[in-house]
Amino acid sequence: TRALLLSRLRGSVAVMDRYSYCQYAEIIARGGRFERLARALFGVFPAPDRTFFLAITPDEANTRIERRATDSEDIHYLARFDAAYRGLPEAATFEFVDANRSPEVIQKDLLSRI
């Protein structure tokens, strides 16, 4: 809320890491309870002008999580989370970016799209 409000007041661009879509996907991946409530609460926020979806396979996501060694995720949850994101009605507006590549290649791809 703060970042969006400040960007509006300053006339600047707000770049968000995740957004309400992340919450919807997480709720769906965990069974879908409260999705309508979340949509009602987050519905006050404007739709983003652009959404880049960094698409990564659950296996690669799990490999990177394990490499970080700061947390862990169940591979089955990662697969449900990915499917939930892709199943969102808003997913039709996402710009999909192959995130299975190196960070340098992903960055170059994103910069060329911006």
Side-chain angles (χ1 to χ4, degrees):
T1 303
R2 182 176 174 267
L4 290 173
L5 182 60
L6 288 174
S7 72
R8 176 78 42 111
L9 292 173
R10 294 176 179 159
S12 61
V13 173
V15 177
M16 310 298 287
D17 174 18
R18 303 184 182 158
Y19 202 60
S20 56
Y21 308 139
C22 184
Q23 305 308 315
Y24 307 152
E26 183 169 357
I27 290 167
I28 293 166
R30 296 190 186 280
R33 196 166 173 220
F34 303 116
E35 180 188 358
R36 256 201 306 199
L37 175 61
R39 285 185 175 278
L41 293 172
F42 287 111
V44 300
F45 296 110
D49 293 322
R50 295 177 81 178
T51 301
F52 294 102
F53 180 86
L54 301 180
I56 187 168
T57 64
D59 287 333
E60 181 61 23
N62 192 53
T63 298
R64 292 180 187 184
I65 291 167
E66 287 178 350
R67 195 177 310 137
R68 276 195 316 250
T70 58
D71 58 340
S72 64
E73 288 289 351
D74 176 75
I75 189 75
H76 302 292
Y77 170 74
L78 292 172
R80 288 193 313 272
F81 194 40
D82 181 63
Y85 254 117
R86 293 170 185 273
L88 292 173
E90 296 89 353
T93 68
F94 295 172
E95 294 184 46
F96 285 81
V97 176
D98 179 2
N100 292 297
R101 304 170 297 169
S102 72
E104 297 79 20
V105 172
I106 297 166
Q107 180 184 34
K108 187 175 181 180
D109 187 359
L110 284 168
L111 289 171
S112 73
R113 294 174 187 229
I114 295 170

